[in-house]
Amino acid sequence: MWNYESRLQYPVNIKKCDLHAAKVIMSQFGGPDGELAAAMRYLSQRYVQPYKEVCAILTDIGTEELAHVEIINAILYQSMRGASVEDIKAAGLDTYFVDHTLGQWPQSAGGVPFTATYLQSKGDPICDLHEDLAAEQKARVTYDNILRLVDNPDICDPIRYLREREVVHYQRFGEALRITQDNLNAKNFYYINPAYDLSCKRSCEKPCTKPSNTTCNKPCQATMDKVVCSKPCEKVMDKVMYSKPCEKPCEKPCEMKYERACEKSCGMKYERPCEKPCEMKYERSGEKPCEMNYERPCEKPCEMNYDRPCSNPCNMNYEKSCQKPCNKGCRRNCQKCCQKCDIE
Amino acid sequence: MCEEKLLRFIDEVSFAVTDIGLYLNTHPCDKCALKYYAKYRELRDEAMKEYAKNHGPLLVDDVDSDCYWTWIENPWPWKGGK
């Protein structure tokens, strides 16, 4: 179930009509690597995911992508608002105008209508998560290209925000992939498709009749169930009988190498020691505090290449010609900025 | 109220809130409808609070633990069996 919050995730206030910008930014609404495809991709993929962390990531990032669709449309609306027919013709937007006037319609910058072929939902967690990682990178490059093409600071500011979110989502999807692989056979991640084989009717459904403290020697009827559960399990029989991890809450702390036991006792209703890895990552690394002013404490070094919020020196390689910092306080990328400084 | 009954109750009062909200979009001065909205919104708020306290959060805003992110612990609604 979804509810709408009557606010943008990041503010958009464009003072001047900018049809050339709108023409290319349109692609991030209905284009091949746009926000609409992203939202549909993640919200479609989440259903068959067997691991709760991955369900949460796909639900929450898919939801955030819907908010990004709204930001893109706010940019399009505000940058096309009030355009004259002469301006529309001059910007080459007459072919859009004839069908949609200044309404929002999902298409790529090249005029190709939005299509579900931009996304895949394969029903295999490893495959889907790799698609998601690639999608975030493709969207990041599109935003980089928009920033090369557009020099209106009112537009570049929210575009930089959206670009940074692609980088953060890429990081979270990488972690989701790691969590998925940690649940699979470490010697062969592809031995089963956990989204299909663990719920497949062919799975061994008969409960083991042997006492739980003995190893069940009966071979399982279903071939795919011979996979040994890679998670430590209390119940010996489950290791043999089921590829499924035991669903009973484990009583002993988890032994998986990357996990740290939480020092505090868990406040959850189960009243048992917390077996989960401690999720509070912000307190762990963070040798380099992030300098981005709108972010929560961040564990990563700042990755923003652009000059605005980051006080690190810009290291984009095409700026090598620039010897002096820009003193105009302008928000555009450095290359253009420097050109402008030199001219003036 | 047991978990399932409480969840069905939340479904019902939430639907009342959603539906009267649509009506109010086109009848913003209808005092009777505004009263109806206020009544069901209050019921919904209370039920959501009670659910979060006893069975885990339905909204991410309802996560209330300093040791574990209970958002991922709730059974995802599309998994069925509830």
Side-chain angles (χ1 to χ4, degrees):
Chain A
M1 174 71 191
W2 272 264
N3 280 319
Y4 180 69
E5 281 186 32
S6 178
R7 63 183 185 91
L8 293 182
Q9 192 191 18
Y10 191 89
V12 175
N13 291 298
I14 299 167
K15 290 172 216 83
K16 257 177 62 189
C17 186
D18 191 336
L19 295 176
H20 288 99
K23 200 180 169 190
V24 294
I25 291 170
M26 206 171 270
S27 243
Q28 279 307 84
F29 175 27
D33 307 312
E35 302 290 357
L36 185 60
M40 293 304 108
R41 177 182 300 112
Y42 308 146
L43 295 177
S44 300
Q45 288 176 353
R46 68 193 179 127
Y47 295 93
V48 299
Q49 291 292 332
Y51 310 116
K52 59 190 178 184
E53 296 91 340
V54 184
C55 288
I57 280 292
L58 287 169
T59 300
D60 293 346
I61 296 182
T63 301
E64 188 179 339
E65 303 295 5
L66 290 172
H68 295 174
V69 170
E70 186 182 33
I71 294 176
I72 289 293
N73 277 306
I75 293 171
L76 295 175
Y77 164 68
Q78 291 182 25
S79 57
M80 295 196 292
R81 182 169 47 188
S84 69
V85 168
E86 288 72 34
D87 292 344
I88 288 164
K89 279 185 189 167
L93 266 179
D94 47 349
T95 51
Y96 182 88
F97 183 84
V98 70
D99 286 329
H100 313 293
T101 324
L102 295 184
Q104 316 289 337
W105 191 69
Q107 65 162 54
S108 74
V112 180
F114 177 77
T115 157
T117 54
Y118 290 155
L119 56 106
Q120 177 59 293
S121 176
K122 197 75 178 172
D124 177 291
I126 290 185
C127 178
D128 282 345
L129 287 166
H130 276 95
E131 152 128 355
D132 302 342
L133 287 160
E136 295 294 337
Q137 287 300 325
K138 289 187 280 184
R140 191 266 305 159
V141 176
T142 309
Y143 284 123
D144 279 339
N145 291 342
I146 288 170
L147 288 165
R148 291 176 209 274
L149 293 165
V150 175
D151 61 2
N152 182 338
D154 291 344
I155 296 177
C156 288
D157 184 47
I159 292 292
R160 281 194 196 95
Y161 171 81
L162 292 169
R163 177 196 176 276
E164 186 58 22
R165 296 308 293 159
E166 307 298 338
V167 176
V168 172
H169 291 172
Y170 178 79
Q171 172 71 15
R172 297 283 93 83
F173 279 128
E175 290 155 3
L177 179 62
R178 194 208 68 212
I179 287 168
T180 298
Q181 288 174 332
D182 284 347
N183 278 284
L184 296 172
N185 185 325
K187 289 186 178 157
N188 181 2
F189 293 146
Y190 313 120
Y191 198 87
I192 59 163
N193 170 0
Y196 177 70
D197 295 319
L198 295 184
S199 61
C200 170
K201 284 272 155 55
R202 285 166 66 206
S203 292
C204 187
E205 275 154 2
K206 278 185 286 183
C208 185
T209 50
K210 297 210 168 187
S212 63
N213 58 351
T214 60
T215 305
C216 176
N217 294 318
K218 218 161 89 180
C220 183
Q221 297 298 309
T223 49
M224 57 195 62
D225 286 335
K226 285 173 189 164
V227 181
V228 175
C229 173
S230 61
K231 261 190 168 176
C233 179
E234 283 289 286
K235 291 159 80 183
V236 182
M237 61 170 181
D238 286 350
K239 278 191 180 170
V240 179
M241 282 290 287
Y242 303 108
S243 52
K244 224 181 195 173
C246 175
E247 281 181 355
K248 215 181 105 190
C250 235
E251 253 118 44
K252 66 173 181 186
C254 185
E255 287 157 357
M256 290 168 84
K257 57 182 186 299
Y258 62 88
E259 300 200 37
R260 297 178 306 160
C262 215
E263 277 117 65
K264 275 187 274 186
S265 67
C266 185
M268 291 166 61
K269 57 195 168 182
Y270 309 119
E271 300 288 335
R272 59 188 163 79
C274 185
E275 78 208 54
K276 301 289 164 197
C278 186
E279 300 273 328
M280 297 151 121
K281 291 187 177 130
Y282 309 130
E283 296 168 0
R284 194 168 50 185
S285 48
E287 292 91 61
K288 257 194 199 174
C290 183
E291 324 233 342
M292 290 153 59
N293 52 13
Y294 58 84
E295 284 266 296
R296 68 203 182 297
C298 176
E299 72 205 70
K300 288 194 304 178
C302 183
E303 294 189 28
M304 289 189 68
N305 293 325
Y306 302 101
D307 52 349
R308 188 189 45 92
C310 187
S311 58
N312 284 338
C314 184
N315 54 8
M316 289 177 78
N317 50 18
Y318 57 71
E319 285 172 65
K320 277 172 192 158
S321 58
C322 174
Q323 301 299 328
K324 57 180 180 182
C326 175
N327 57 2
K328 296 287 177 193
C330 101
R331 292 171 165 185
R332 282 169 296 173
N333 74 47
C334 291
Q335 189 184 32
K336 287 180 181 169
C337 192
C338 292
Q339 281 169 356
K340 188 159 188 181
C341 295
D342 290 337
I343 291 162
E344 289 172 5
Chain B
M1 216 186 291
C2 78
E3 182 176 355
E4 194 183 332
K5 266 194 175 162
L6 182 56
L7 198 56
R8 294 290 85 86
F9 180 75
I10 289 172
D11 290 347
E12 285 164 19
V13 291
S14 299
F15 177 73
V17 169
T18 302
D19 198 45
I20 200 69
L22 294 185
Y23 172 84
L24 278 163
N25 284 344
T26 50
H27 304 76
C29 304
D30 188 325
K31 281 194 179 135
C32 187
L34 286 164
K35 227 170 149 182
Y36 183 93
Y37 170 78
K39 178 184 164 189
Y40 283 93
R41 196 205 49 204
E42 198 185 335
L43 284 172
R44 181 183 129 86
D45 289 350
E46 280 169 13
M48 293 285 281
K49 229 182 269 170
E50 192 188 330
Y51 190 94
K53 203 176 124 199
N54 297 306
H55 312 293
L58 293 177
L59 289 170
V60 73
D61 294 3
D62 290 337
V63 172
D64 188 20
S65 167
D66 58 3
C67 129
Y68 184 68
W69 182 243
T70 50
W71 179 237
I72 63 169
E73 202 54 43
N74 239 12
W76 291 101
W78 64 84
K79 298 283 185 187
K82 226 188 185 186

